[in-house]
């Protein structure tokens, strides 16, 4: 019996090694030798605040990335500034291979979401990154990587800090992958360019300016986008598109000053109630958007995309268990099917106070923030116009500024609507030769299934690369699915960091 078990284990190990290329095994060996020093570098990088609206901090980040690139002998390092002043630059570098006929640009972004340190777990801080001994829980052990008795690095440890997964992980994994290739004397078959953006979390408002200004410099055969989480199963993932994104803010008005709810309740209009009814009118009980024309222009999935979706391991039961709810919003639709549709979400609502701040008043206003996600075929400005048309249909007069006294006298129901600039969806065909090269390269790093997804649920301004540069993009994420991106206690699992370095290296070496 013992002999049989040993044979099974040996065959399993042999299968694992054979599934991975010789180059990947060299990259792994080099990583194992340098992992502690790399973690120190990464923790130092994460300690630089990276909110796009603070120019001084973003310049510090850009300078540090340039230093990291210089240390790895990346060539032609420079900052690519948009025409707009005081906007964060993209950090650029390149490695040209003699005789190479194709070029790949590796993209990640170095800015992060705003962070409220009071919401982070005890012992953690957005810009004082730490190592902990596993997924976040009530009591975590903090790891001091300077201790001599620290032992080996556990793959389940987490790096906690803003940007740890989204998306300084992408920046660091790409640069460490190139360092590993160079140190092993390996030569990429492609020319490689690096492009690290500084405003993605702010909606990439100036990315179009950078792409236009440096159009000839940024020509390539493919952009590899390193951003986002892998599939919930933990398997390596290749994604061929992203949904577009646009925001809206709706403010509904009542009286010009707060009113005592006893003296004026049942008589004065209540904007919180009006807004609630308005929002409820936008979606049916089955979860589908009721706004006329909202789904009309969405392009249907191709046969190849339908086949890819059918092969994805369904994460629904796992995620319902993790997140603590029973029913999906759109009845009968899986998570993957749902993110293939245009969506309208309520990100937040605000009116008068609740809890300790509650008082017996009728509020003067009620505000909601809406998030619209686009799929191929839909245009963000048209979708915003459809929402406005729906609001009018519910009896509201729409203004884009604070209502005047004259408007208040003319219109019983007033809504101020602010439509924010957004961007459209993009999707790369799965059967393109370069897309197949990417799939093959990622498969060379693992013996497990590689999950192929036509699009991600989140948004990236990938349509700009196609629109301005006529470039194709493929997204290869590395972060763990439970990374808390955009929220408190953002974290990166060590094994995901390791896998990401190997994956980026394999892509740089693909034929």
């Amino acid at each position: 019996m013992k002999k049989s078990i040993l044979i099974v284990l040996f065959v399993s190990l042999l299968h694992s090694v054979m599934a991975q290329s010789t180059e990947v095994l060299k990259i792994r060996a080099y990583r194992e030798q340098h992992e502690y020093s790399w973690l120190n570098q990464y923790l130092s990088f994460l300690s630089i605040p990276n909110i796009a609206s603070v120019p001084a901090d973003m310049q510090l980040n850009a300078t540090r990335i340039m230093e990291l690139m210089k240390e790895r002998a990346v060539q032609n390092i420079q900052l690519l500034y948009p025409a707009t002043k005081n906007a964060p630059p993209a950090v650029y570098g390149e490695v040209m291979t003699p005789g190479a006929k194709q070029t790949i640009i590796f993209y990640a972004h170095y800015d992060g979401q705003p962070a409220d340190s009071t919401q982070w777990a005890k012992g953690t801080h957005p810009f004082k990154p730490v190592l902990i001994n596993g997924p976040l829980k009530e009591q975590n052990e903090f790891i001091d990587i300077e201790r001599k008795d620290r032992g080996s690095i556990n793959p389940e440890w987490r790096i906690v800090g803003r940007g740890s997964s989204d998306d300084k992980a992408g920046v660091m994994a790409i640069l460490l992958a190139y360092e590993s290739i160079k140190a092993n004397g390996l030569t990429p078959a492609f020319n490689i360019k690096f492009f690290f953006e500084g405003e993605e979390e702010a909606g990439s408002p100036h990315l179009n300016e950078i792409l236009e200004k440096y159009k000839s410099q940024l020509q390539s055969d493919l952009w590899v986008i390193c951003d986002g989480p892998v599939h919930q199963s933990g398997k390596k993932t290749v994604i061929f598109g992203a949904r577009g994104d646009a925001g809206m803010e709706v403010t509904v008005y009542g009286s010009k000053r707060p009113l005592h709810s006893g003296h004026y309740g049942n008589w004065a209009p209540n904007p919180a109630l009006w807004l609630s009814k308005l929002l409820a009118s936008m979606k049916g009980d089955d979860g589908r958007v009721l706004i006329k024309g909202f789904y009309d222009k969405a392009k249907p999935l191709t046969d190849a995309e339908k086949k890819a979706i059918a092969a994805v391991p369904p994460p629904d039961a796992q995620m319902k268990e993790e997140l603590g709810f029973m029913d999906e919003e759109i009845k009968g639709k899986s998570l993957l099917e749902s993110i293939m549709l245009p969506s309208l979400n309520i990100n937040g609502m605000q009116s008068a106070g609740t809890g300790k701040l509650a008082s017996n008043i009728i509020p003067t206003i009620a505000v909601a923030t809406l998030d619209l996600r686009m799929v191929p075929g839909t245009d963000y400005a048209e979708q915003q116009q459809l929402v406005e048309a729906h609001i009018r249909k519910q009896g509201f007069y729409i203004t884009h500024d604070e209502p005047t006294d004259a408007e208040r006298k003319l219109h019983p129901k007033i809504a101020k609507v602010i439509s924010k600039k957004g961007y459209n969806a993009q999707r790369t065909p799965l059967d393109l030769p370069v897309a197949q090269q990417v799939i093959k390269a990622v498969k060379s790093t693992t013996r497990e299934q590689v999950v192929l997804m036509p699009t991600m649920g989140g948004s990236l301004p990938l349509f700009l690369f196609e629109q301005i540069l006529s470039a194709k993009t493929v997204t290869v994420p590395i972060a763990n699915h439970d990374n808390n991106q955009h929220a408190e206690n953002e974290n990166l699992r060590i094994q995901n960091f390791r896998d990401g370095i190997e994956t980026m290296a394999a892509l740089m070496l693909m034929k």
Side-chain angles (χ1 to χ4, degrees), residues 278 281-282 290-291 386-394:
L278 173 61
S281 74
M282 294 182 181
L290 298 176
I291 294 169
L386 292 176
V387 175
E388 281 202 22
H390 180 84
I391 294 171
R392 287 192 184 93
K393 191 176 179 181
Q394 305 309 304

Side-chain angles (χ1 to χ4, degrees), residues 83 229 285 325 386 412 468:
D285 290 340
F325 64 81
L386 292 176
I468 298 171

Side-chain angles (χ1 to χ4, degrees), residues 313-466:
D316 299 62
Q318 171 195 336
M319 293 311 301
K320 286 178 181 178
E321 179 69 25
E322 278 188 33
L323 301 174
F325 64 81
M326 295 296 294
D327 291 333
E328 61 276 358
E329 183 178 34
I330 301 181
K331 307 305 180 190
K333 289 281 186 186
S334 69
L335 171 58
L336 199 49
E337 289 172 325
S338 295
I339 65 175
M340 298 296 153
L341 297 171
S343 69
L344 182 150
N345 289 295
I346 302 167
N347 292 147
M349 298 172 62
Q350 188 174 355
S351 192
T354 60
K356 293 180 180 179
L357 298 177
S359 58
N360 295 331
I361 64 162
I362 300 171
T364 59
I365 64 170
V367 186
T369 300
L370 305 181
D371 165 53
L372 280 62
R373 302 280 170 164
M374 267 54 65
V375 298
T378 58
D379 177 78
Y380 80 87
E382 291 180 3
Q383 295 293 90
Q384 289 172 327
Q385 290 165 10
L386 292 176
V387 175
E388 281 202 22
H390 180 84
I391 294 171
R392 287 192 184 93
K393 191 176 179 181
Q394 305 309 304
F396 286 87
Y397 168 77
I398 289 181
T399 177
H400 302 295
D401 298 294
E402 288 297 305
T404 64
D405 287 344
E407 287 173 322
R408 284 177 175 270
K409 289 178 181 177
L410 285 172
H411 307 286
K413 295 168 72 175
I414 298 174
K416 179 177 73 174
V417 178
I418 305 297
S419 292
K420 301 176 183 179
K421 186 174 174 59
Y423 50 82
N424 291 333
Q426 183 274 342
R427 196 177 292 161
T428 295
L430 278 73
D431 54 2
L432 283 182
V434 72
Q436 292 299 309
Q437 286 175 277
V438 169
I439 295 169
K440 184 178 178 182
V442 176
K443 284 182 175 179
S444 76
T445 68
T446 178
R447 67 185 180 93
E448 294 188 317
Q449 173 193 4
V450 173
V451 176
L452 308 180
M453 295 175 59
T455 192
M456 66 167 65
S459 299
L460 287 167
L462 303 185
F463 88 102
L464 288 174
F465 300 108
E466 192 165 87

Side-chain angles (χ1 to χ4, degrees), residues 263-314:
H263 296 325
Y264 295 98
N266 285 350
W267 181 76
N270 190 313
L273 180 61
W274 276 355
L275 180 63
S276 299
K277 289 182 175 181
L278 173 61
L279 296 174
S281 74
M282 294 182 181
K283 278 194 170 182
D285 290 340
D286 63 357
R288 292 184 66 86
V289 178
L290 298 176
I291 294 169
K292 186 177 180 181
F294 199 80
Y295 298 110
D296 287 358
K297 292 190 176 181
K299 285 185 180 179
L301 295 168
T302 65
D303 290 341
E305 289 166 344
K306 290 177 182 176
K307 185 177 178 181
I309 289 173
V312 174

Side-chain angles (χ1 to χ4, degrees), residues 131-149:
L131 269 175
I132 61 173
N133 65 333
L136 280 155
K137 54 188 178 183
E138 192 92 8
Q139 294 290 330
N140 275 111
E141 178 187 339
F142 292 88
I143 310 298
D144 181 359
I145 65 171
E146 300 298 334
R147 281 176 48 183
K148 292 182 180 179
D149 61 344

